[in-house]
Amino acid sequence: MESLVEPVSIEESLKQFLLVISAALIIAVLPQSIPWMRKLPYTVLLVIAGMGLALLDIHFFSPSPELILWIFLPPLLFEAAWNIRWRELRRNLVPIALYATLGVVVTILGIAFALAQWADFLWPVALLTGACLSATDPVAVSTLLRELGAPSRLKVLVEGESMFNDGTAVVAFSLLLGLATGTETFDLQNLIVEFASVVGIGVGVGLLVGFGISLITKQFDLPLVEQSLTLVGAYAAYLIGENLGGSGVIGTVTVGLIMGNFGSRVGMNPRTRVVVSEFWEFIAFFFNSILFFLIGDQLLIDSVWSGLAGIAVAIAAVLVTRVVAIALLTAISNRITTVDIGWNLQTMLCWSGLRGGVALALALSVPETVPQRDALIAVVFGTVFFTILVQGITVKPLLQALDLIQANPIQQQYLELISRETALQKVLDYMQQPGTSAGIDPAAFRAERATIESELLKLQQQSQALSQQDPSLAELGVETLRKELLAVESNAYYELVQLGRLNQEPPALLEAIINAEENPHSPAPAAKPGNAAVAATKES
C-alpha cells in the first residue's frame, strides 16, 4: 500500500509546487503590463495575490515550521549576509548589536505586557507571542529597500539588525517555550548563560565552516564547485549549529559574512565571484517568491476575525515597542559612538520593522499542549499581514517624505552614461592590442574605430552636460572612479597571490590614501586584508 500511495503523494506535491512557482512568476511579470502595479513592491504583490486566492478558498500546501526554518531560512540569511560589506557593518556594529539584543528584549516585554493587560493572555503565552513577533524579517525588509533604492546605510542597519535578531528571537523563543509548557521555571542567570552558550556555539560553527570552505576553494578554480560549496556552507552551518545546541541562524549569518568578505577574495577569482553572486540573487528571488505567496495564501478569515481584539492590541504593541526601542537604543548608540543616526533614519528604522516568515514559523511550531495556542497563532498571523501590507505599501511614500530615496532620474542617466563610456573605452583599448586587426581590411578597421570614438565623444559630452546641470554628479563620478580603481588594485593583488608572488592580499593602498584625504586629522584605520577589496569589487 505504501508503494502505491507514496508516488501519488510526490506527484501531487510536485503539481502544487509548480502551481505556486507559476503563480509567483506571473505576478512578477504583471507589473510590466499594468503600470499601477509597479508602485507596489514585488513581495507585497505576492502576499496580496495569495490573500486573494485564500478569500476564494483556493489553498496550496501550508509552509510548515520545518520548511521555513530549515529549508527557506538558511539560504535567505546567507544571501543577505553575503551582500553586506564588512566595512559598513563594522561601522554600524554598535547600533545593530543593540537593536538585535536589547531591542528584542524590549519588544518581547512590551508585547507581552500589552497582551496580558488588554487581551487576557496568560503571561507565559504572552511572552511566547512576543518572542514570535520580536524578529524583523530580513527577507521582506531587504527586498523592499533594495527595490526602492534606499540609502546604503539604512539598508545595512536594517539588514544587519534583521539577520542577527532572527537568531536572538529564535533563542528567546526556545527559552520561553519551556515556561509556557510548564517544563521550566524562570531563572535569569540560567537564561543568560544558556543564551550566551547558544550564540557562542552558533558563531563558532559559522567561523569554522566559513573559513574552512574559504581555504578549500583557494586550492582550485572550479566555479561550479565553489558555487555549490557556498550552498553547502549555508545549510551545513545551520544544521551543525542546531545539532550542537547552538543557533543555526547565527551560524549561517556568520558563514555568509565570512564567505562574502573573505572567502570570495582569497578563494574565488573575479569571474567566479560574479557567478556566485548571481546564483544567490536567483536563490533569494526563487525562495522569496514561494514564501511570500504562501504567506498570503494561509490567510484564515475566521481565525483573524475571532481574534481581532488581540490582533489590534498586538499591532499597537509592536508599533509602540518598535518606536521606544529604536529611540532609546539609538540615543545610547549616538552617545557612545561617533556614528550618528539622524531622526529620518530612525523613523525609517521604526517603520521598516516588518514581520514575516520567521514569526509564522515560530508560531506554528508552538505545541498544541500550550494554552491559548490558537489565539497566539491568530495574533501572529494578523500582525504579520498588517506589517507586510500596511507598512510594506507605505515604505516608499515615507522614504520620499523623508527625502531618503537617493536615486533620481538625472543620477541614473549619469551613471548609465559613464558606464557606457567605460565599456566603450575598454573596446578601444582592446582594438589597440597587437593582432586585433589581423585579417581585417585596414580601412574597415579604422572606420569601426572611428565610429566607436565618435560615439564615445558623444557620451562624454552628454555626461559633462548633466554634471553642469547637477554639480553633485561630479562627486558621484569621482566616487565611482575610486571604486573602479579599488577593484582594479584588488584584482591585481589577487593575481599576484595566485602566481605565488604574495602569500596573502595586502590592505588596499588606495583605500588608505582616500581615507587620509577625507579625514586628514584622524589616524587611518588598520584595514584587514581583503576587506576593502571585497567592498570595491561588489560596488563596481
Side-chain angles (χ1 to χ4, degrees):
M1 181 64 69
E2 289 179 359
S3 64
L4 293 175
V5 172
E6 186 175 292
V8 176
S9 176
I10 293 175
E11 181 182 356
E12 184 63 28
S13 298
L14 182 58
K15 289 179 180 178
Q16 292 275 312
F17 177 76
L18 291 176
L19 284 173
V20 171
I21 290 295
S22 301
L25 293 177
I26 290 172
I27 296 166
V29 174
L30 279 179
Q32 304 300 318
S33 305
I34 306 175
W36 67 266
M37 294 182 67
R38 299 174 191 171
K39 299 179 181 179
L40 299 178
Y42 172 56
T43 49
V44 174
L45 287 173
L46 287 170
V47 174
I48 293 175
M51 291 176 64
L53 293 178
L55 292 174
L56 297 174
D57 200 24
I58 301 175
H59 294 282
F60 296 102
F61 63 90
S62 299
S64 65
E66 293 78 12
L67 179 68
I68 296 176
L69 294 177
W70 290 87
I71 304 299
F72 282 73
L73 192 58
L76 293 174
L77 288 171
F78 183 93
E79 189 270 342
W82 169 276
N83 287 311
I84 284 188
R85 295 185 298 169
W86 170 247
R87 184 183 177 191
E88 291 190 4
L89 181 63
R90 181 178 57 186
R91 181 170 175 258
N92 297 282
L93 198 55
V94 171
I96 288 174
L98 291 173
Y99 299 153
T101 53
L102 296 180
V104 169
V105 175
V106 171
T107 301
I108 293 175
L109 294 178
I111 294 174
F113 177 81
L115 291 174
Q117 287 291 112
W118 296 296
D120 296 327
F121 270 55
L122 300 173
W123 261 102
V125 180
L127 288 169
L128 200 60
T129 308
C132 292
L133 292 172
S134 63
T136 54
D137 194 331
V139 179
V141 176
S142 301
T143 304
L144 287 170
L145 295 181
R146 289 175 188 175
E147 288 177 357
L148 300 177
S152 60
R153 186 171 180 207
L154 176 62
K155 288 186 287 186
V156 169
L157 287 170
V158 170
E159 292 176 4
E161 178 203 1
S162 299
M163 288 188 304
F164 290 109
N165 75 8
D166 268 3
T168 53
V170 171
V171 172
F173 175 84
S174 301
L175 298 177
L176 292 171
L177 185 59
L179 298 178
T181 55
T183 58
E184 296 183 13
T185 57
F186 180 79
D187 187 327
L188 181 60
Q189 183 176 356
N190 287 342
L191 285 177
I192 294 174
V193 170
E194 188 171 351
F195 177 81
S197 173
V198 170
V199 173
I201 292 174
V203 172
V205 169
L207 291 173
L208 289 174
V209 174
F211 282 114
I213 292 178
S214 299
L215 295 178
I216 290 173
T217 57
K218 187 178 178 180
Q219 307 305 315
F220 48 77
D221 184 18
L222 298 171
L224 293 179
V225 174
E226 296 173 60
Q227 174 180 291
S228 302
L229 283 173
T230 61
L231 186 62
V232 170
Y235 281 106
Y238 194 93
L239 179 63
I240 296 172
E242 291 291 328
N243 286 337
L244 292 179
S247 171
V249 172
I250 298 296
T252 300
V253 169
T254 304
V255 170
L257 289 172
I258 292 172
M259 292 295 297
N261 292 274
F262 174 76
S264 62
R265 292 305 312 157
V266 302
M268 301 179 186
N269 61 41
R271 175 177 54 84
T272 302
R273 289 196 297 273
V274 172
V275 170
V276 174
S277 295
E278 291 178 347
F279 167 75
W280 281 105
E281 184 178 357
F282 162 74
I283 290 293
F285 169 78
F286 186 77
F287 279 19
N288 283 345
S289 300
I290 300 174
L291 182 59
F292 279 90
F293 186 76
L294 290 178
I295 286 176
D297 188 53
Q298 300 309 302
L299 177 66
L300 300 175
I301 298 297
D302 294 338
S303 298
V304 172
W305 184 257
S306 62
L308 201 56
I311 293 172
V313 171
I315 291 172
V318 165
L319 296 177
V320 171
T321 54
R322 182 69 178 171
V323 172
V324 171
I326 293 297
L328 177 63
L329 299 177
T330 301
I332 296 174
S333 174
N334 289 345
R335 181 174 292 272
I336 64 178
T337 68
T338 58
V339 180
D340 187 71
I341 300 175
W343 67 270
N344 56 348
L345 286 181
Q346 291 184 48
T347 303
M348 279 310 308
L349 285 171
C350 292
W351 200 244
S352 297
L354 282 68
R355 272 62 174 177
V358 175
L360 297 183
L362 294 178
L364 291 172
S365 66
V366 174
E368 294 184 1
T369 56
V370 173
Q372 298 180 314
R373 179 180 182 270
D374 292 341
L376 181 154
I377 293 176
V379 164
V380 172
F381 267 66
T383 306
V384 167
F385 284 129
F386 173 87
T387 59
I388 292 178
L389 295 178
V390 177
Q391 292 179 244
I393 291 174
T394 54
V395 161
K396 183 175 182 179
L398 187 57
L399 282 169
Q400 292 173 332
L402 296 173
D403 196 25
L404 286 175
I405 297 182
Q406 295 178 330
N408 58 68
I410 294 180
Q411 186 182 84
Q412 292 291 345
Q413 185 180 358
Y414 181 77
L415 288 174
E416 182 178 348
L417 286 173
I418 61 177
S419 298
R420 290 183 179 277
E421 287 182 39
T422 302
L424 288 186
Q425 187 60 57
K426 289 183 177 181
V427 171
L428 287 178
D429 293 341
Y430 170 78
M431 296 183 73
Q432 293 175 359
Q433 295 177 8
T436 305
S437 60
I440 302 175
D441 180 68
F445 187 83
R446 287 193 297 269
E448 289 293 330
R449 186 170 60 187
T451 301
I452 295 173
E453 290 174 344
S454 175
E455 187 63 28
L456 180 60
L457 180 60
K458 291 180 183 178
L459 292 172
Q460 292 171 344
Q461 292 173 346
Q462 292 175 16
S463 61
Q464 289 174 1
L466 284 180
S467 62
Q468 293 175 356
Q469 181 179 347
D470 185 353
S472 64
L473 295 178
E475 183 178 349
L476 178 63
V478 172
E479 182 182 353
T480 303
L481 175 62
R482 285 176 171 176
K483 291 175 182 178
E484 291 174 352
L485 294 177
L486 283 170
V488 171
E489 182 190 9
S490 65
N491 288 335
Y493 291 146
Y494 173 82
E495 293 174 0
L496 291 173
V497 170
Q498 295 296 99
L499 292 172
R501 293 178 59 183
L502 289 174
N503 293 328
Q504 62 180 8
E505 295 184 34
L509 179 61
L510 287 177
E511 182 186 31
I513 296 173
I514 292 171
N515 288 336
E517 291 176 352
E518 294 178 348
N519 305 288
H521 301 296
S522 61
K528 292 185 179 182
N531 285 349
V534 176
T537 302
K538 289 184 179 180
E539 288 288 343
S540 61

